Amino acid sequence: MPANTGFLVKNDRFSLTEPDLYLLTGWLAPNTEVTAFLNGTKLPVMLEPLSEMPDERFGGCETKLTISFASVEIPERGHLKLYAEGAEGRHLSFSVPLAQLLEKKRSIHYFIDDFSVLREDGLVRIQGWAAAREKVTVDVYGHDGKKLLPSVERYKRYDTAELFSEYPIDPECGFHVELRPIPDGPVRVRMRTSEEEIVLIYPTDRLRVAAKQSGRLLGKARDAFLYNGIGAVWSKTYNKLFNPAMHMIEYGQWIKKHLPSERELRKQREQQPEYAPLVSILIPCYKTPEKYLREMTDSVLAQTYQNWELILSDGSGADSPISSLLDELAASDSRIRVLHNGRQLRIAENTNAALEAASGEWIAFADHDDLLVPSALYECIRAVNENRDAELLYTDEDKIGTGDKFMQPNLKPDYDPDFLTSVNYICHLLVVKKDLVDRVGELDPAFDGAQDHDFILRCTEHTKPEQIVHIPKILYHWRFFEGSTSANPEAKLYAFETGVRAVQSHYDRLGWPASAEKGEYPGLYRTSWHWDSKPLVSVLIPNKDHLADLKLCISSLLEKTSYENLEIIIIENNSEEQETFDGYEELKASDPRIRVITYKGGFNYSAINNFGTREAKGEYYLFLNNDTESISDVISEMLGYAMRPGTGAVGARLYYDDQSIQHAGCIMGWGGVAGHAFVNQKRGVTGYQHRIICQQDLSAVTAACMMVPAEVFRRIGGFTEELAVAFNDIDLCMKIRAEQLLIVYNPFAEMFHYESKSRGLENTPEKQSRFSKEIALFKERWPEILRDGDPYYNPNLSMITQDFSLRRL
């Protein structure tokens, strides 16, 4: 971003309560005057600082500029221009055509974040917000004037609500639309109140969509030329056309928009939470470089939440090089306490020394060279006020490198016990209620290096899942420099050996027959199960013709597995080739565990599988598509988790025949309902947070290969037969989750999935109509998770791409 030498406008609008007031907010460079001209006539302006300190990200203080048009008539032609005059002279800082300004002078304020015609997916996506002094009704119509949806999905947009500080607008002002199939003609978005109606028309044909996008890009190019010159236009054009990396969101720019502004911080300082307990921040110090220790302490002093104590425990030894520095820091603020231990302490002992000195109701754990975001404690205590039963809090984090560059964001899911045994994803910032610490006990020196992982696992054993609260905001910066553990995991390999022991001890305390071992990368762990009993597993395979695929499915399954107590039930459904029926006889003759039953109705995946379970004798059902080929011992891998109490379903890692990912779990909300994670990632790629190769819990997995305990399946009523083809497996998982059971993704159960060979694609009007009806039914059955978001997917990640990239700014 070029240096700000004037007034950098963030947004502009007319007031909701005083419609003649034009409000602009942005960043005003120091020692700068702003003047406004309406077609050359100077207008008075009023500047109101919204922050006292300059924001280094944007080169100025956040400021509101107000222009009153109460006594001025706005003509239809010309421009309103703002000029900034400072040390570098006078220059144009902002310009808006008057026709566009008049368009803004409405009672309904709106913004369309996204209008996309996704031809490969066969859908149109519209997302945005609409706000007024009353609730805005949003509907979507086709070119023939008929509604395309009975109702539009609404969701809360707190960012928009905060924008309109003068009036308490309805926070549920956001809207999200998915249209399948792509409408033939233009799409009309109608926004309506009792005072006004606005209709936006969007084309869906290729030519007009391209023209509309070109017009938008030309507008951006015009603005870039106006404010930054031809060089900026060329640079942006080149990057858009020839630099693929520019299509990804750069974290350095993303985090600037997501760290709290000075205005937000000031508001937090002025409005402390109703319940404001003392928080003890524990810092185990060991020969900490002065620069980092001061910066860490400054980050605590900058907290907007005031009721804290900082306990600095020095484990550097008798001749500690930081002793005098610690005394200086303690003298600077009465809330800072120092423990001179007089001997070298390892990390667990050092932390425990601080813990024993703590008097807070809540305990925050941090490292001696890291940084807290100024709002960190405030956000934690706000979360406690919203959930007074909470006992353990954790936040998102990133790393801070040389030159204070932010990088490698760790955007975490909500509490995920199986992901936690695969990797210590919780890490920083961790805040625990002292009552829970007392029940759990101190950090265990036997697990030094992984003492935090061991401690967190013990905490989860003594509290309920709903008392573990995730705050999806970057509130902690982990120091990243050459030689540090965060920069080079191999610098602390001993910690990962200890991590295996921490996970194993967790299983031992729970009495589970599981063994933990090192995973593919340092810091990752893999779990295997060793149950004494060998229950019968019923493998259910619907089939219509495609005999070669069926034989490969069964032969590879039996060849790869060491598990013998199983039955394979082929559910015949309307095959037409005699070769298929001859093949059935061959399969039955080859193995007495193979049976064939016949379902005589039309294709209905749910009904076919429900029919199959009524003939099955097993304690566990493995639902398996006929177009799959086993790579690993799928049955043993999935059964291990399925037999564990609290598990409702287990899914597998599936590949297309080109060895790219077809399924690594499902994320709710993608495509309007759900989508497969990491689709088309090449085999060997591990994905964001290594999640492709980590055992973890998810909201749903595909039934192309899914194992479910028979008792659970019967309890929830099986597959919903109204969902004949699409989303019946997702719906089944939703019913399982409603029983408070876990859906486990086990990446070590691996198969090829030659998708849709038997049934074909959704390429006829009849199939597309059925598909649309099934989408509507699913949304009617499970509106909450589509509205509130997938708990196993961070809300800061994209809802458009399937690679866990950052959500658009």
Side-chain angles (χ1 to χ4, degrees), residues 153-412:
E153 177 186 348
R154 306 301 294 267
Y155 64 99
K156 293 180 179 179
R157 288 285 299 257
Y158 291 111
D159 58 333
T160 304
E162 289 180 3
L163 177 65
F164 294 92
S165 57
E166 74 272 20
Y167 191 84
I169 66 165
D170 178 12
E172 205 167 72
C173 57
F175 58 86
H176 180 90
V177 174
E178 301 272 357
L179 301 175
R180 295 176 187 265
I182 298 172
D184 293 333
V187 172
R188 290 172 167 80
V189 180
R190 187 180 74 171
M191 296 170 283
R192 179 168 48 87
T193 65
S194 61
E195 296 182 2
E196 187 178 17
E197 179 178 301
I198 297 174
V199 178
L200 307 176
I201 301 176
Y202 290 93
T204 58
D205 62 284
R206 295 179 188 272
L207 185 60
R208 288 185 176 86
V209 168
K212 195 172 185 71
Q213 290 174 338
S214 298
R216 187 170 64 250
L217 290 174
L218 285 172
K220 289 184 175 182
R222 179 201 62 216
D223 292 342
F225 172 74
L226 185 63
Y227 303 123
N228 301 309
I230 190 63
V233 177
W234 166 245
S235 175
K236 286 178 178 287
T237 302
Y238 178 86
N239 283 325
K240 284 284 185 183
L241 294 176
F242 305 113
N243 185 357
M246 291 302 293
H247 296 285
M248 301 295 291
I249 298 172
E250 204 275 318
Y251 180 65
Q253 295 299 318
W254 184 92
I255 189 61
K256 289 179 180 179
K257 298 289 184 73
H258 288 78
L259 289 174
S261 66
E262 275 299 322
R263 182 186 182 187
E264 292 171 300
L265 296 177
R266 183 177 65 186
K267 190 174 181 180
Q268 290 177 6
R269 292 187 184 98
E270 294 170 351
Q271 299 177 1
Q272 293 294 293
E274 178 183 353
Y275 167 61
L278 178 65
V279 179
S280 297
I281 308 164
L282 311 186
I283 307 291
C285 304
Y286 183 83
K287 298 181 180 180
T288 317
E290 179 177 349
K291 169 182 167 60
Y292 297 149
L293 186 54
R294 287 189 183 277
E295 289 181 355
M296 182 280 300
T297 304
D298 287 344
S299 76
V300 175
L301 291 168
Q303 291 300 300
T304 57
Y305 181 75
Q306 301 296 310
N307 194 18
W308 53 260
E309 63 174 0
L310 175 62
I311 303 177
L312 303 170
S313 180
D314 187 6
S316 305
D319 299 319
S320 170
I322 61 173
S323 180
S324 59
L325 172 59
L326 291 171
D327 288 337
E328 176 192 333
L329 294 173
S332 68
D333 193 296
S334 60
R335 294 171 295 179
I336 300 176
R337 298 163 56 195
V338 171
L339 303 179
H340 295 289
N341 294 295
R343 61 188 181 93
Q344 284 198 355
L345 297 177
R346 300 192 68 178
I347 182 68
E349 289 180 300
N350 204 3
T351 306
N352 287 340
L355 179 57
E356 290 165 7
S359 53
E361 195 175 334
W362 286 82
I363 308 296
F365 297 85
D367 289 344
H368 61 166
D369 52 4
D370 296 341
L371 302 176
L372 300 183
V373 172
S375 57
L377 295 183
Y378 184 92
E379 293 289 356
C380 289
I381 299 305
R382 176 157 66 180
V384 173
N385 275 265
E386 293 172 354
N387 183 354
R388 292 299 293 271
D389 292 329
E391 291 196 316
L392 186 150
L393 314 171
Y394 66 96
T395 77
D396 293 346
E397 63 187 295
D398 63 10
K399 293 187 174 71
I400 182 169
T402 305
D404 290 344
K405 180 182 179 182
F406 299 123
M407 62 189 80
Q408 298 180 22
N410 186 4
L411 302 171
K412 308 165 188 177

Side-chain angles (χ1 to χ4, degrees), residues 527-656:
T527 296
S528 300
W529 297 87
H530 312 286
W531 300 100
D532 292 332
S533 63
K534 303 292 181 184
L536 178 66
V537 175
S538 298
V539 183
L540 299 156
I541 309 175
N543 188 69
K544 177 184 178 181
D545 294 321
H546 292 277
L547 181 62
D549 294 325
L550 177 65
K551 285 185 172 180
L552 177 61
C553 170
I554 294 174
S555 64
S556 65
L557 184 74
L558 295 175
E559 178 186 335
K560 297 294 182 180
T561 189
S562 60
Y563 197 82
E564 297 183 351
N565 192 21
L566 53 88
E567 63 174 356
I568 298 176
I569 301 174
I570 301 167
I571 311 171
E572 153 61 26
N573 179 224
N574 297 323
S575 292
E576 299 173 355
E577 301 170 3
Q578 183 58 43
E579 179 188 11
T580 301
F581 297 98
D582 295 340
Y584 289 159
E585 297 303 315
E586 293 175 16
L587 287 167
K588 289 192 292 182
S590 69
D591 194 312
R593 296 174 295 180
I594 299 176
R595 291 193 282 144
V596 179
I597 61 176
T598 300
Y599 177 81
K600 296 182 179 179
F603 181 81
N604 180 317
Y605 181 88
S606 298
I608 291 169
N609 278 291
N610 287 344
F611 172 76
T613 62
R614 291 193 286 272
E615 299 291 325
K617 302 173 183 176
E619 294 180 52
Y620 294 86
Y621 301 147
L622 175 59
F623 299 102
L624 189 62
N625 278 23
N626 63 347
D627 53 357
T628 56
E629 177 184 357
S630 296
I631 298 171
S632 66
D633 187 349
V634 170
I635 294 176
S636 298
E637 287 288 351
M638 300 179 82
L639 185 60
Y641 275 102
M643 291 179 67
R644 183 188 62 180
T647 299
V650 184
R653 177 169 27 163
L654 306 180
Y655 302 95
Y656 291 115

Side-chain angles (χ1 to χ4, degrees), residues 5 48 93 156 170 384 492 549 704 799:
T5 59
E48 177 188 352
S93 190
K156 293 180 179 179
D170 178 12
V384 173
K492 202 178 179 184
D549 294 325
M799 294 302 292

